[in-house]
Amino acid sequence: MKSSVIKAQLLSKWYGEVIGLNSFNMDAGPGITGIVGPNGAGKSTLFKLIIGMIKPSKGSLDVLGMDPWLNKKLSSKIGFCPDYDNLPDDATGFEFLRLSGGLHGMSGTGLNSRIKEVSRTVGIDYALERKIGGYSKGMRQRIKIAGALLHDPELLLLDEPLSGADPRARRSLIDVIISLNRDSGHDILVSSHVLFEVERMTKDVVLIYKGRAVASGDIYGIRELMDEHPHNIIIEGKGMVELGKRLLELEHTVSVSFDGSKERLRVEVKRPDEFFDNVPEMLLESGGELREMYSQDDNLAAVFRYLVGR
Amino acid sequence: MDITAFVSLTIYKFRKILFNKRVLAALLVGVLVTGVMAYASTLDVVFRDGAILLDVLIISFFLPVVTMFYGSSVIRDEIEDMSITMVITSPMRRWAAYLSYYTALLLSLLLLLFMILTAGFLAFFIPLGLDSNALELYLNMLLLVSIGCVVYSALFLLASVVLERSIYFGLFYAFIWEGFIGSIPGRISEFALKHYIRSIGAGRMELMEFAAASGMTYSFQVLTVVTVVLLAVGIFIFRYKEFPG
C-alpha cells in the first residue's frame, strides 16, 4: 500500500471573495505526481499551501506527515521551484545558488561542490558565472530547479517548470525531472496546463479545475477523454504556409489556420505528442524556420467542462 | 543553521541595497551636502555654524529622508517581485530573516550616511582648520546618525512589511511628520523621533542649539523602547504574514 507524501482533505483557500482552492482532495504517493489544470485553476495556490507560504482557510493538509504552515522543519525537506520568475537578474547563477544554499545552512567547500554537482545534474553548469539577466527562459528554469535541489530535499515542488521554454528545452527539462525521481529518488509534484507534457513524466495525475480536484489517478483514462477534444497549438516562424500544407496531410490534424499573420499558424490536432514528434522533420523538409511553438489549454478546459458536467 | 542563513542573507541584501541604481540618490545627496557645506565655508562663518548646518542638513532632513528612501522598499520590493519566496520557503526562521533584512538595511544606511556626513564635514572644516573640537563634533554627529539609522530603519522596515504603498507613508512621515511636526515649538515636537535624536545631540554638544531638548538619558530610553517595539511588531507581523503573490 502506498504511503502518502501529500494528503489534502477538503482543503480550501479564499483570497477575500476570490476562491483559490475549494474543498480540494488529493492523496499523492511517492514518485512523480502531475497536477494538471488550465491557468487560474488553483495549481499555484496548492503549491503555496504545500510550501507554507499561505495558510489554509479550511480543511487539512499533510505534507510528509506534517502541517506545512510555519513549519520550518518541513521547509528543509522541500525544494520549491515557483511558476513565477523570482530570480535576481543582477546576480550570477553561482551567486544565486550560494544564497539558496546559505539559506539552508550550507556553506564553504561543501556548498561549492554541491553547486557543481546539482548544476551538472540540471545542465546549467556551463553558465554559472554568467549573470542571470542574460539567461534564456530554459536556463532560468534550470537554475530555479538547481536552487530547489541544492539541499537535497525529499520532496520537489515544480510549479509549471516547462512554462515559456522552447520545445527542445522542454524535452530536456522533462528528462531532467524524470531522472531526479528515477536516479536521485526525489518525490516530485509537478504542475502543467499541458496534459501531454505531464504524461511524459508520470502516469499519476490530479486534474484541477476552478479550485477543485475533478479527477485523479491513472493518466490513460484521462488521455482518452483528451483525444476526443482537439488540441490547439500555435506555431510561429518562417515558411508557415508550406508547413501548414504538410500538416494538413497528417491523420491527426483537425484544422490549420493562420492566426493574425502568415508567420503564425494555429493547428488543431488530436494527438499532440505525435504532432510534436512530426513537426521538426516537417520543418526540415519544408525549409521552414521555427521561432516559437506552444500549446494552448483550450482543449484541457473542454475536458474539465466535460468532467464537471457543464 | 539560522546563523549561516542570517549571514548569507545579510551579505546578499547589503550588496543588493548598495549596488543598485538607488545608490545614485545617496550620491546626489552627498554631492548636495558637500556643495552646501563647501559654499558655506567661504562665507563669513564661525565654527558653530558648521554644527548648525550639519544638524539642519543631515540630522533634521537627510537622515529621515535617506532612511525612508531605502527602508520603505527593502522588503516591499521583494514581496512585490516575489523574490522573497526563496527566504520564506527556506528553513530560516522568519524572525531571523526579518532581523537579517534589518541588519543589512542598517549597515548600508550607516555606510551611506557616514560617507555623506564625512564629505560634508570635511568640506566645511578643512578650510576652517581641523582641530580637536572639530573631531569631537564629527564623532558626536556620527553617533547621532547611528542612533537615527537604528530607529528609522526599524520604523521604515515595519512600514515596508505592513503597507503595500509604504513609500507614501515614508514620504508623509519623513517630510510632513518629522519635517513639520518635529519643528513645531513646544511639546508637540516630542511626537517626532528627531526631537529625541537632537536632544541627545544637545546633551552631548553645547554647539548644537536646541532649546526644547528633552533629557539625554530620557531621549535615549525613548528611542531604545521605540526601536525595540517597532522591531518586535515587525517580527510578529512578518512571522504570520501570508505571501499569496
Side-chain angles (χ1 to χ4, degrees):
Chain A
M1 197 178 133
K2 71 171 187 178
S3 58
S4 288
V5 174
I6 300 167
K7 190 169 187 175
Q9 286 179 308
L10 297 173
L11 185 65
S12 297
K13 178 64 188 175
W14 306 298
Y15 305 107
E17 291 183 0
V18 179
I19 297 172
L21 219 54
N22 187 11
S23 298
F24 183 87
N25 292 306
M26 76 176 278
D27 189 354
I32 303 178
T33 303
I35 301 287
V36 185
N39 292 327
K43 302 187 295 290
S44 293
T45 297
L46 175 65
F47 278 84
K48 284 173 190 157
L49 284 163
I50 292 170
I51 193 67
M53 289 177 74
I54 53 176
K55 188 182 175 185
S57 306
K58 210 177 163 188
S60 71
L61 178 61
D62 198 273
V63 182
L64 299 171
M66 290 179 261
D67 177 357
W69 175 239
L70 299 177
N71 189 334
K72 288 297 170 186
K73 194 176 168 194
L74 182 62
S75 302
S76 61
K77 297 183 176 195
I78 300 180
F80 179 46
C81 173
D83 64 331
Y84 44 82
D85 197 337
N86 62 341
L87 296 166
D89 283 346
D90 50 352
T92 64
F94 184 77
E95 286 166 348
F96 169 73
L97 293 179
R98 285 282 307 179
L99 175 64
S100 290
L103 289 170
H104 283 86
M106 303 163 79
S107 60
T109 51
L111 174 57
N112 289 348
S113 57
R114 179 68 183 152
I115 288 173
K116 279 182 193 162
E117 184 190 339
V118 166
S119 57
R120 252 197 317 269
T121 305
V122 302
I124 195 70
D125 50 327
Y126 66 94
L128 283 185
E129 298 307 324
R130 280 159 56 183
K131 295 269 186 198
I132 290 174
Y135 279 16
S136 68
K137 187 74 186 175
M139 291 163 79
R140 296 175 85 88
Q141 295 292 18
R142 282 171 201 274
I143 198 82
K144 278 200 287 182
I145 295 174
L149 266 179
L150 212 56
H151 58 290
D152 197 20
E154 279 180 42
L155 173 64
L156 254 182
L157 303 176
L158 306 175
D159 193 4
E160 298 272 5
L162 310 177
S163 169
D166 60 60
R168 189 187 292 178
R170 279 171 185 251
R171 184 169 290 198
S172 165
L173 281 167
I174 287 171
D175 291 341
V176 167
I177 293 166
I178 292 169
S179 79
L180 286 173
N181 171 249
R182 187 189 55 212
D183 305 331
S184 311
H186 298 284
D187 294 322
I188 299 172
L189 188 71
V190 57
S191 76
S192 175
H193 60 273
V194 183
L195 184 64
F196 78 90
E197 284 180 343
V198 172
E199 188 181 6
R200 292 187 170 195
M201 294 181 255
T202 180
K203 62 178 181 54
D204 293 321
V205 294
V206 177
L207 292 193
I208 179 171
Y209 185 58
K210 293 192 173 175
R212 282 179 184 272
V214 290
S216 62
D218 193 289
I219 201 164
Y220 299 112
I222 297 162
R223 240 332 273 278
E224 282 175 18
L225 274 174
M226 196 70 193
D227 291 343
E228 292 170 16
H229 297 268
H231 203 99
N232 282 305
I233 291 159
I234 303 290
I235 311 174
E236 284 184 34
K238 289 179 182 169
M240 291 297 109
V241 176
E242 185 58 31
L243 178 66
K245 282 180 193 167
R246 287 170 184 263
L247 286 172
L248 272 173
E249 292 166 8
L250 293 176
E251 192 188 332
H252 47 261
T253 303
V254 178
S255 72
V256 175
S257 59
F258 290 109
D259 192 37
S261 86
K262 288 201 170 177
E263 292 198 345
R264 186 177 155 96
L265 271 185
R266 176 185 292 273
V267 190
E268 269 191 294
V269 293
K270 277 189 175 171
R271 293 196 172 274
D273 45 354
E274 286 178 26
F275 169 81
F276 280 114
D277 285 343
N278 287 329
V279 165
E281 199 178 324
M282 297 183 102
L283 266 170
L284 278 175
E285 286 170 6
S286 65
E289 204 175 287
L290 183 69
R291 206 162 42 236
E292 196 174 7
M293 178 164 71
Y294 56 91
S295 70
Q296 295 188 316
D297 58 9
D298 313 25
N299 63 322
L300 201 53
V303 174
F304 289 127
R305 280 194 293 275
Y306 173 82
L307 287 168
V308 296
R310 290 181 187 178
Chain B
M1 178 182 281
D2 276 343
I3 292 172
T4 308
F6 183 92
V7 172
S8 299
L9 183 59
T10 304
I11 292 172
Y12 173 78
K13 199 63 201 172
F14 177 73
R15 282 187 187 157
K16 199 170 178 185
I17 293 170
L18 287 182
F19 298 107
N20 184 297
K21 284 176 194 161
R22 282 174 190 247
V23 86
L24 287 174
L27 290 176
L28 278 176
V29 170
V31 170
L32 181 69
V33 169
T34 308
V36 170
M37 295 298 284
Y39 175 70
S41 71
T42 64
L43 304 175
D44 186 17
V45 289
V46 291
F47 188 87
R48 178 184 288 273
D49 295 327
I52 293 168
L53 270 173
L54 286 177
D55 175 27
V56 171
L57 279 174
I58 294 181
I59 307 300
S60 295
F61 187 70
F62 283 122
L63 175 60
V65 168
V66 172
T67 50
M68 175 275 292
F69 188 66
Y70 287 92
S72 57
S73 65
V74 74
I75 290 184
R76 179 52 48 187
D77 283 356
E78 293 206 0
I79 293 175
E80 280 174 8
D81 67 17
M82 287 306 283
S83 57
I84 202 159
T85 301
M86 195 160 53
V87 177
I88 293 303
T89 59
S90 80
M92 185 184 194
R93 281 172 285 187
R94 288 196 185 183
W95 64 263
Y98 189 85
L99 287 181
S100 176
Y101 282 117
Y102 176 73
T103 307
L105 174 65
L106 181 60
L107 291 176
S108 38
L109 284 171
L110 285 174
L111 182 66
L112 291 173
L113 283 160
F114 278 10
M115 283 165 59
I116 292 169
L117 173 67
T118 305
F121 172 82
L122 293 176
F124 186 89
F125 286 98
I126 284 179
L128 262 69
L130 284 170
D131 57 15
S132 60
N133 285 336
L135 184 63
E136 189 188 341
L137 171 70
Y138 177 64
L139 292 176
N140 276 313
M141 284 294 173
L142 285 182
L143 176 71
L144 296 188
V145 166
S146 305
I147 292 170
C149 285
V150 167
V151 65
Y152 285 129
S153 295
L155 173 69
F156 294 121
L157 193 68
L158 170 63
S160 82
V161 171
V162 176
L163 303 170
E164 280 188 22
R165 296 281 175 268
S166 52
I167 190 76
Y168 294 133
F169 164 80
L171 288 168
F172 169 80
Y173 186 83
F175 288 100
I176 308 293
W177 195 265
E178 290 286 294
F180 179 64
I181 302 288
S183 304
I184 293 175
R187 299 210 67 178
I188 291 178
S189 70
E190 291 178 20
F191 289 100
L193 293 171
K194 84 170 178 188
H195 169 89
Y196 300 99
I197 298 167
R198 296 184 72 226
S199 293
I200 293 172
R204 292 186 61 86
M205 296 177 284
E206 286 180 7
L207 286 166
M208 198 160 154
E209 291 176 342
F210 188 22
S214 301
M216 197 167 67
T217 309
Y218 173 70
S219 298
F220 189 76
Q221 286 169 343
V222 168
L223 292 175
T224 305
V225 169
V226 167
T227 304
V228 170
V229 168
L230 289 170
L231 284 175
V233 173
I235 286 170
F236 181 81
I237 291 170
F238 191 68
R239 184 170 189 274
Y240 293 102
K241 190 170 180 62
E242 294 186 60
F243 296 90

